[in-house]
Amino acid sequence: MDTSVQPDTESSLIEDLKKGNATAYKHAVREYSPGMLAVARFYQDQSGAEEIVQDCWVTVIGAIHKFEGRSGLKTWLHRIVANRCKNKLRATNREVSTDFSETLDPELASRFKSNGRWSLPPKLIFHESADTLMENEALSDCLDKHLSTLPETQRSALMLYEAHQHKSEDVCNILDVSASNLRVLLHRARQKIFLMVETFQETGEC
Amino acid sequence: MLMCKGLAEIASDYIDDELNSRQNLSVKMHLMMCKHCRTFIGNLRASTDLLKAHSSGRDNEEMIRRIDERVAEALKTWTPEGNNTE
């Protein structure tokens, strides 16, 4: 499902937000909050993240008249969230730590022989299209469950890049990670999803 | 020569077209010879598409409602210059 807003729709939405239109805010909150939450979750637990997103919307009401459209509205909102999170981290002196040294998921890495060839190759081909697969309620639940167990950093990178379709440089800016570390985060997270779908297709269990 | 494990390490970069031309060629050569890795790349790509389709479709309705309330409250003090406090 593509939830991105068309440019002309976006500019009329921005005009309405600048006028303080309550309906426009309702629409924008629904449209943009999930992505904003994904950013905040990189730095905060669920309830802390939601509080940040709420605070940011209040900030937006006071600051939208300064928005000049040099970036898209989504990117602007995500930067507001990221900056607020970073300030809060600085205030509490808490660091976000991530391990970028291993490219392969340990479970996947164990499926290769010492000569670098597969010992346990992928067995099944994922035939069905993504949309057909997502109609499978059990698989969709399973995906939710696995996404929620991913390390914060991986999940945020994954959600921003894949689900919210941000460009790499925007994700790097928002999350304050280097381009090469972003590649590691994305790859690690995708391997997890790959392993999950494989188990699900083989056993029907999550 | 690129082995299966080495290919698995750079598989996402291949899918996203982030490899340099030399690496890209070595992946393509390997894939021509290796059925397992073709399956792996196909499945990893499918997993990526799955995530795109999954998207943020399952919004937290409760969270949205709480934000709506907070925004409605804040809009009560709205002024055109955006100089409401907070």
Side-chain angles (χ1 to χ4, degrees):
Chain A
M1 187 177 64
D2 184 7
T3 56
S4 60
V5 176
Q6 297 301 314
D8 51 335
T9 323
E10 182 169 306
S11 59
S12 73
L13 175 66
I14 292 163
E15 283 314 306
D16 289 341
L17 294 176
K18 285 183 177 175
K19 289 177 200 147
N21 180 316
T23 314
Y25 273 96
K26 275 206 152 205
H27 176 78
V29 163
R30 183 159 293 273
E31 177 83 23
Y32 296 106
S33 295
M36 292 162 75
L37 188 75
V39 177
R41 285 289 270 137
F42 187 76
Y43 301 93
Q44 297 276 328
D45 64 12
Q46 179 69 29
S47 68
E50 188 183 319
E51 195 184 314
I52 296 251
V53 173
Q54 282 195 17
D55 291 345
C56 285
W57 277 111
V58 176
T59 304
V60 165
I61 293 171
I64 185 81
H65 69 286
K66 287 184 269 182
F67 176 70
E68 289 169 352
R70 274 196 294 267
S71 63
L73 179 60
K74 182 169 75 174
T75 304
W76 185 69
L77 291 169
H78 287 187
R79 285 211 185 110
I80 291 178
V81 175
N83 286 336
R84 198 174 192 103
C85 290
K86 285 176 206 165
N87 288 339
K88 194 160 176 172
L89 269 190
R90 245 172 254 135
T92 56
N93 207 12
R94 206 166 57 85
E95 293 282 326
V96 177
S97 61
T98 319
D99 178 18
F100 296 104
S101 54
E102 291 297 327
T103 320
L104 280 186
D105 182 276
E107 189 184 333
L108 189 68
S110 72
R111 290 169 57 169
F112 293 93
K113 292 183 276 200
S114 56
N115 67 4
R117 293 186 195 278
W118 289 97
S119 61
L120 266 177
K123 279 169 249 159
L124 296 161
I125 298 174
F126 303 170
H127 278 298
E128 286 168 286
S129 77
D131 287 329
T132 316
L133 282 173
M134 284 327 295
E135 284 166 19
N136 183 333
E137 194 73 16
L139 179 61
S140 187
D141 287 344
C142 185
L143 190 55
D144 271 340
K145 187 179 140 192
H146 280 262
L147 283 173
S148 72
T149 60
L150 283 181
E152 295 301 335
T153 46
Q154 288 181 26
R155 181 177 50 225
S156 299
L158 200 62
M159 294 315 282
L160 288 176
Y161 188 80
E162 315 277 23
H164 298 282
Q165 304 190 2
H166 271 289
K167 283 187 274 200
S168 307
E169 53 182 297
D170 286 339
V171 182
C172 291
N173 265 329
I174 290 166
L175 300 182
D176 241 350
V177 294
S178 70
S180 61
N181 286 349
L182 174 65
R183 298 305 310 168
V184 175
L185 287 177
L186 283 173
H187 191 42
R188 289 293 297 263
R190 284 175 181 175
Q191 291 170 69
K192 283 260 190 250
I193 303 301
F194 159 82
L195 292 166
M196 178 219 101
V197 178
E198 191 175 67
T199 305
F200 190 87
Q201 291 220 320
E202 273 176 28
T203 66
E205 279 167 22
C206 187
Chain B
M1 198 179 101
L2 184 67
M3 300 302 287
C4 305
K5 190 174 181 183
L7 184 141
E9 284 169 356
I10 56 173
S12 281
D13 293 342
Y14 176 72
I15 288 174
D16 293 338
D17 207 11
E18 296 271 349
L19 294 177
N20 65 38
S21 52
R22 190 182 51 81
Q23 289 174 307
N24 202 42
L25 186 66
S26 62
V27 171
K28 284 204 158 77
M29 298 274 281
H30 183 103
L31 288 177
M32 275 194 275
M33 300 178 296
C34 181
K35 183 173 153 241
H36 293 325
C37 284
R38 283 201 297 275
T39 306
F40 176 70
I41 288 280
N43 288 3
L44 191 68
R45 200 190 296 268
S47 307
T48 306
D49 291 343
L50 188 65
L51 208 67
K52 284 200 174 92
H54 185 66
S55 155
S56 54
R58 306 179 152 209
D59 301 338
N60 184 336
E61 287 299 322
E62 276 299 296
M63 176 189 82
I64 300 283
R65 194 186 52 74
R66 286 192 290 270
I67 298 173
D68 275 344
E69 279 177 8
R70 182 89 189 273
V71 167
E73 191 61 35
L75 279 175
K76 284 181 187 164
T77 56
W78 183 84
T79 58
E81 295 77 28
N83 58 356
N84 62 329
T85 48
E86 240 269 355

